[in-house]
Amino acid sequence: MKAFKLLYVLPVLFVAGMISSCSEDTKDVSIVVNYPDFDMAGDQWVYLKPGDSYTDPGCKAYVDGVETEVTVSGGFDTTTPGLYYVNYSAGITEPLEANVSVTRYILVTSATQQEGVLDGTYVNNPDKITITSQGGYLYRASDTWWQQYSIPVTLADLGDGLLNIVEPQSSAFGPVANNGYSTYILDPGSITFNLNLTAQNGGAGMGYSTTWIKED
């Protein structure tokens, strides 16, 4: 069972013209905002093979100890390899209106897939990256880019040569997202990243693709 708690302290802002003077009583006043606490039943990460039976055990949310309504979105298909997201969200209306959420990740891999098969050092001359197992068919790539600033990502191995990054992920250039599937070949070892840098502040996003060869 996973518990998630968010607590923020916000400064009180006074609109110019509404208050003619600032007294010691109102100086440095802050408001404590209690966001919903989530109590997720079961594991946040679930690993399945095609055809496995799985029922979402759900998630509860509490505001100041009182259970509140949870909205569930997303879904999964246990017959088809893929990375699926089930989102649980809850909101507050006082002292401000806001919604927060937590996510359960359901990774369905191919029936024959094994863990740790992508670990190693990969080369895209003259650059090198490492791919390291995080357990449960997850990997961390130290870079997917080829320029001065790296774009590391966390990857989910779907099996049969297909990968997805775990969204959302950020980088120095903005959010990173999947552009279709990234792919790999075990023998000889290689990996190709197909990713998007999402547009920020009205700018144009861009897709990029890089291929890396595994060192012997």
Side-chain angles (χ1 to χ4, degrees):
M1 181 176 290
K2 295 288 186 180
F4 305 83
K5 185 176 182 67
L6 293 172
L7 175 65
Y8 287 87
V9 178
L10 299 180
V12 174
L13 302 179
F14 297 95
V15 179
M18 294 181 63
I19 298 179
S20 58
S21 65
C22 180
S23 69
E24 290 299 319
D25 293 336
T26 59
K27 184 179 180 181
D28 298 326
V29 174
S30 297
I31 297 174
V32 175
V33 181
N34 289 305
Y35 285 95
D37 302 329
F38 291 94
D39 189 4
M40 183 187 296
D43 295 326
Q44 187 177 21
W45 275 92
V46 178
Y47 304 98
L48 303 172
K49 297 291 187 180
D52 283 353
S53 177
Y54 179 74
T55 300
D56 179 14
C59 182
K60 294 182 178 181
Y62 301 86
V63 177
D64 290 333
V66 178
E67 188 170 354
T68 189
E69 181 180 1
V70 173
T71 300
V72 183
S73 61
F76 55 92
D77 178 2
T78 60
T79 67
T80 304
L83 178 58
Y84 301 95
Y85 304 82
V86 178
N87 300 300
Y88 310 96
S89 62
I92 58 172
T93 57
E94 297 291 341
L96 52 80
E97 188 169 330
N99 280 282
V100 291
S101 65
V102 294
T103 301
R104 191 191 308 277
Y105 304 89
I106 300 174
L107 178 57
V108 182
T109 65
S110 66
T112 59
Q113 190 56 20
Q114 299 179 355
E115 296 184 33
V117 295
L118 299 180
D119 283 359
T121 300
Y122 293 73
V123 180
N124 181 339
N125 285 328
D127 302 310
K128 291 186 178 183
I129 64 171
T130 57
I131 297 179
T132 308
S133 177
Q134 306 295 294
Y137 310 103
L138 294 178
Y139 295 87
R140 184 67 175 173
S142 62
D143 193 10
T144 58
W145 195 234
W146 67 93
Q147 299 192 30
Q148 180 179 2
Y149 298 103
S150 62
I151 303 179
V153 297
T154 298
L155 298 151
D157 182 3
L158 312 182
D160 298 327
L162 300 179
L163 298 162
N164 268 164
I165 71 166
V166 181
E167 297 177 346
Q169 294 194 47
S170 60
S171 75
F173 305 96
V176 188
N178 294 295
N179 185 6
Y181 292 108
S182 295
T183 61
Y184 66 86
I185 300 172
L186 290 180
D187 188 16
S190 67
I191 185 167
T192 298
F193 298 106
N194 297 307
L195 301 173
N196 273 326
L197 292 174
T198 306
Q200 292 191 100
N201 302 322
M206 63 167 287
Y208 70 93
S209 178
T210 60
T211 296
W212 304 76
I213 307 301
K214 191 173 186 178
E215 281 191 332
D216 295 333

